[in-house]
Amino acid sequence: MIPWYLLKFYAQRHSKFTASCIVLLIINLLFYNLFHIFLILWVFIIGVIFAYSLLSPISVLPNLLPIYSKKSKHKNLGDDELTLMKTVCTVCGLRRCPRHRPELNILAFQPWTNLDIHKSVDDALHEFFNIVLKEFVYTWYRELSEDEEFVDELRTNFRFLASVMFRRMKKLDVPELVTKRLLRASVQHIDLCVQAYKEADYKGDIQQIVLDFMGSNVHCAMWSRKAELEYLRRLVESLFPYILRPQALNSRSTCALVRELLAGAVLLPTLDAIANPDLINNLLLVFFDKTPPPQATEPPSPMVPFLGQFSQARARNQSCLRLELKDVINPECPELLYPFMQFLKSEAAVNVLQFCLACSDFNRRILNPDASQSEFSDLHSTVKDLYNVYCAPNALDRIKFDDDIVETLREVVEGPPDQVIKLRTSAPLFKAYEHAYNLLENNFLPMFHQSDDYYSMICGDRPNALLTKQMSSFFGGKLNSLRFYLSLVKSFMQTKKKDFTLAQFGNKLKDVFKSADERLSNNIEPALDGMSLNSVSQPSVCVEEELEDSSLDCDHSMHDLSSWRVTIPRIGARPDPENPRKQYFVFIIDIRRLDVEEGEERKQQWTVARRYAEFYVLEQKLTEFHGELLECQLPAKKSFGTNKHDFTEGKKSDFENYLQKLLTKPHLRNSELLYQFLTSEHEFSTSFLPGIKLGKFVKTKLVKEKGQHLDEFLVTFATSTEASKPKSSKLSRRGSDTSLMSTSSDKLSGTHFDNNMNFGFQPPSSKRDLPHQVKDIDGAFDYLLFLLKNVFRAPEWFMGLMFSARILLKETVENYLDYHIEYKLSQVTQEHRLVGLVNLLKEILFFDDDPPRSDEDKRIRYASAYKELLDFLPDVLHTALGNSNTREGCELLLQIFQQPKLNKQLSYVLLDIVVQELFPELK
């Protein structure tokens, strides 16, 4: 039974329907003899109640046209790129192999494996990437070197990048991406524009109105043109672990160059072109064009490896240090084979080498035309051992071969001994040998070239740890500066006259290695094993000059700063040496040592005066040597008004806390910089690094400063010693008489977008909550209803009719749309059309020499697009909406896409969606 309160609830909710039923019931009771006539009305009412109870506004019928359904993409986990790269071992074929390194997988080094495309498409991509290298690499690289090895490395990285993108795009469900995500973002963008324009009462510049309406909710790339380029750089950098070779990730120069090429030379101009309103109008005209697409006039070209021709090495490596695999695995050269075998043992891959050697010997024996029947039995036993050890599914040293190779070998092994003769003419064993050989050559040999085993083979054993430690102690910890001083000597020798000899230079370094610790010297001399001290000392140890200040002696016991206590009790005034009538104020720092008892000769307490700027010099130098100290930072530095008493007095507590925190850091307890700051009476400024002169390179206190960030400082310092190079004459840009500009400056000077929203890198902090009416809408049919209601302002009766049709047609229309997108995608990805698309992109980026289109030409194209949009809508829709609403809706919709900055905002939103779909790891 239906509860009475439910009947009462629905009766009150649908009062008109309830009143009609009651009136019909009363009339039926009064004229009961006409019940057979009223029965028709009662059946209709019962049907309405039944339909109402089963259907709801969110109910829809299933697809009525099942033949128009897209083909579902079954994601084969066995072919998933990430699964292969992370779980399947290339050496043994096991998932999550605990024996071999995971990065040895073939897809981690060669994602183009088994990736074939049509030759014509490969040629088009080959030409496109060659133009990229010609325009953005060879223009400056030719002036540096004629060696092609660097460019070959870039070619391999481009192939790696394109292969990864190709593999990921093949797995992408494009119809779902378009209808579920891209279409939603586009409709949401249109909705924000309509709401902003409605608030302004449809008056004014729609672009500025919408940007003001969105405020700081715009995409971060829209803050400014520099922020846009920086965003693209960060985006490309975030993709590096997935789109670059593992070896390239360790090369900062390669990463920087690839980042600039992709961000500044490809993505930025491509997004600028996409956001150009004139191009959007042209794309609309192409979409509305009813001319059938061109058909292929030539037969399909053969399949070739993806960008195989493009990545072929142009330079031959003539280095005698890079050995060929055929020389390394030659049994007649054990001095090369043994170190390589030791390296493979450390990688748990010596079975690959053993298989190659055994297979090579087997092929030599089986190809002997004079082999007897007994030798065939031995060969059969050998191939059986090869199969059981390296090919059997449960073999301990199993190598991953193709299934057809393993199956053919299994048939030979299980057959009679005379069946081994099949391996003389068939290819399985040769293919297995080639697979193992390529594994050694492409994966293990490059790793061997960078290993300690290879270093030991070429240069001999490394110095033992004890000797290295003793030498490090003997030279006062200065061996870390070896590379720096070698570069200084080299620079000095190149800049001085030719008649200046190394012997003269050595005379300037006399008495450098005097040591007061004779015991340590006696311990080191036997360990040197006959080595000349001068042969080691000249490039290894820094030059120490005697310091005039007696307070800065080299007693390391004084340098335990953790036992020091500092305060800034007062501010002192000093006369300005430049103007005696004026004065400046200094911080009087009081230093007290807890490790010095009364009566000792060393000072227990003293004061030192430091100016405001000297604290920031200390902070700068500590950052250079030790990295950024997040917990110890000074307030932001001011440039003006720092000599006033009130200002200095206000900074006293901040600077006191800063020094006290520095003394608590364990890695600063022996800092020579901090020691000099607290003890020296001389001004602590950036000039404490003297100029380079003979016998006087760098002060002892600087050299003894140890930290983790010396490399950047040493490189900068060494660069500063070199003479400035003469400026070369600048070349003119292609098609222009102006001077050569950087790619960034040229690309950031777009006329369509000005400086985007001109926020710089500091957008407004105020944010408003933007309405999201599209948030709960799902599906292309619902987006159509949304546009009809908000853009075309369809009448209520028509919207009610469309909502009723939604129940019947939603699934059918959306499935047909997915099918249509998939069909169009298959048409677009035909061979001849892919070639056309690549050539079109090439023309837009590199050969767009057409004169700029005039405003009149743009207006004509806009008018044509507007007319085609009106004609595209069916006549039934014109009649239902009314000509006025239809024209106003089409004009508003088209006007939204005539705003370059709004188009750029939408393009970056869509770009983020596509990148997240291609690289779900970024989510």
Side-chain angles (χ1 to χ4, degrees), residues 158 161 165 228-244 249 254-268 271 908 911-912 915 919 922:
F158 281 170
L161 185 153
M165 296 296 295
E228 181 180 353
L229 181 60
E230 184 64 22
Y231 172 77
L232 291 175
R233 288 169 174 166
R234 299 293 181 89
L235 177 63
V236 173
E237 285 180 348
S238 66
L239 300 180
F240 277 168
Y242 316 107
I243 65 176
L244 285 187
L249 293 176
T254 302
C255 291
L257 183 58
V258 173
R259 180 196 66 189
E260 292 304 314
L261 286 176
L262 291 180
V266 178
L267 288 179
L268 184 62
L271 289 168
Y908 274 99
L911 175 65
D912 290 346
V915 169
F919 300 92
L922 297 180

Side-chain angles (χ1 to χ4, degrees), residues 901-913:
K901 295 182 182 180
L902 299 184
N903 295 342
K904 181 60 70 69
Q905 161 73 17
L906 177 60
S907 65
Y908 274 99
V909 173
L910 300 182
L911 175 65
D912 290 346
I913 294 174

Side-chain angles (χ1 to χ4, degrees), residues 133 143 153 164 186 200 341 455 502 546 625 628 721 781 845:
L133 293 176
E143 300 178 0
E153 179 71 16
V164 172
S186 302
M341 185 180 297
Y455 176 89
L502 185 62
E546 294 183 359
F625 284 94
E628 187 174 1
T721 64
F781 197 93
L845 294 181

Side-chain angles (χ1 to χ4, degrees), residues 384-665:
K384 183 183 294 186
D385 293 338
L386 288 176
Y387 177 81
N388 292 331
V389 176
Y390 303 108
C391 302
N394 298 325
L396 182 62
D397 291 328
R398 178 176 179 268
I399 302 175
K400 182 179 180 296
F401 297 116
D402 293 338
D403 294 337
D404 56 342
I405 295 176
V406 177
E407 183 64 23
T408 305
L409 291 178
R410 186 184 63 81
E411 293 176 358
V412 173
V413 168
E414 295 178 354
D418 56 355
Q419 293 293 323
V420 76
I421 198 66
K422 292 183 178 180
L423 298 178
R424 178 182 290 179
T425 56
S426 59
L429 200 59
F430 295 100
K431 289 183 179 180
Y433 175 79
E434 183 180 5
H435 173 79
Y437 189 90
N438 291 334
L439 200 62
L440 292 175
E441 185 175 35
N442 298 327
N443 290 6
F444 291 105
L445 187 61
M447 296 166 54
F448 175 61
H449 286 151
Q450 303 174 12
S451 65
D452 289 338
D453 299 274
Y454 187 73
Y455 176 89
S456 300
M457 183 183 72
I458 299 297
C459 304
D461 294 335
R462 296 180 185 271
N464 60 62
L466 177 62
L467 177 60
T468 304
K469 184 176 180 181
Q470 290 175 337
M471 292 177 66
S472 178
S473 301
F474 174 72
F475 295 131
K478 303 181 183 65
L479 285 178
N480 293 331
S481 303
L482 171 61
R483 181 177 57 187
F484 172 55
Y485 291 104
L486 282 175
S487 65
L488 289 180
V489 172
K490 181 180 179 181
S491 174
F492 174 78
M493 294 300 297
Q494 291 175 348
T495 55
K496 291 299 176 182
K497 296 181 179 180
K498 295 182 179 179
D499 57 354
F500 186 84
T501 63
L502 185 62
Q504 292 173 326
F505 180 75
N507 292 334
K508 300 294 182 178
L509 303 181
K510 62 182 179 179
D511 299 332
V512 167
F513 301 105
K514 289 183 178 179
S515 174
D517 196 345
E518 295 295 332
R519 179 183 56 81
L520 180 59
S521 177
N522 294 333
N523 290 339
I524 290 182
E525 287 179 359
L528 291 178
D529 203 13
M531 292 175 58
S532 172
L533 183 62
N534 292 333
S535 64
V536 178
S537 61
Q538 286 185 3
S540 301
V541 184
C542 68
V543 179
E544 295 188 19
E545 67 170 357
E546 294 183 359
L547 299 178
E548 297 178 358
D549 188 0
S550 59
S551 64
L552 296 180
D553 56 45
C554 295
D555 185 4
H556 288 273
S557 63
M558 291 183 60
H559 293 52
D560 186 6
L561 304 181
S562 61
S563 61
W564 293 21
R565 298 295 181 265
V566 297
T567 57
I568 303 181
R570 66 186 186 279
I571 302 297
R574 298 289 187 273
D576 193 341
E578 298 179 359
N579 189 353
R581 297 182 179 181
K582 295 183 179 181
Q583 62 181 4
Y584 62 88
F585 295 92
V586 295
F587 298 90
I588 305 300
I589 306 175
D590 182 78
I591 302 99
R592 184 168 55 91
R593 296 184 55 175
L594 303 181
D595 58 338
V596 177
E597 299 180 357
E598 295 184 3
E600 294 188 14
E601 296 181 358
R602 293 179 295 178
K603 292 182 179 180
Q604 183 181 13
Q605 188 172 4
W606 67 93
T607 60
V608 65
R610 294 294 176 199
R611 301 186 64 174
Y612 173 80
E614 294 180 67
F615 281 88
Y616 290 92
V617 174
L618 173 65
E619 183 183 42
Q620 174 189 348
K621 296 305 174 183
L622 287 176
T623 303
E624 289 181 3
F625 284 94
H626 300 278
E628 187 174 1
L629 304 173
L630 298 178
E631 298 179 358
C632 306
Q633 292 184 347
L634 292 172
K637 184 179 179 181
K638 294 185 177 297
S639 302
F640 303 98
T642 59
N643 291 332
K644 297 181 180 180
H645 180 272
D646 295 340
F647 177 83
T648 308
E649 184 70 29
K651 297 296 181 182
K652 185 176 65 174
S653 59
D654 294 335
F655 287 4
E656 182 180 84
N657 293 334
Y658 173 71
L659 292 177
Q660 291 174 352
K661 289 181 179 180
L662 290 179
L663 295 178
T664 62
K665 297 298 180 182

Side-chain angles (χ1 to χ4, degrees), residues 54 79 140 148 170 186 319 324 334 347 366 417 438 459 464 473 485 524 563 654 660 745 757 783 788 815 900 909 911:
L54 292 181
D79 191 34
W140 55 268
E148 290 283 339
K170 286 174 61 178
S186 302
S319 174
E324 299 292 337
E347 295 292 338
I366 197 173
N438 291 334
C459 304
N464 60 62
S473 301
Y485 291 104
I524 290 182
S563 61
D654 294 335
Q660 291 174 352
S745 301
M757 295 192 68
Y783 300 143
L788 289 174
N815 276 272
V909 173
L911 175 65

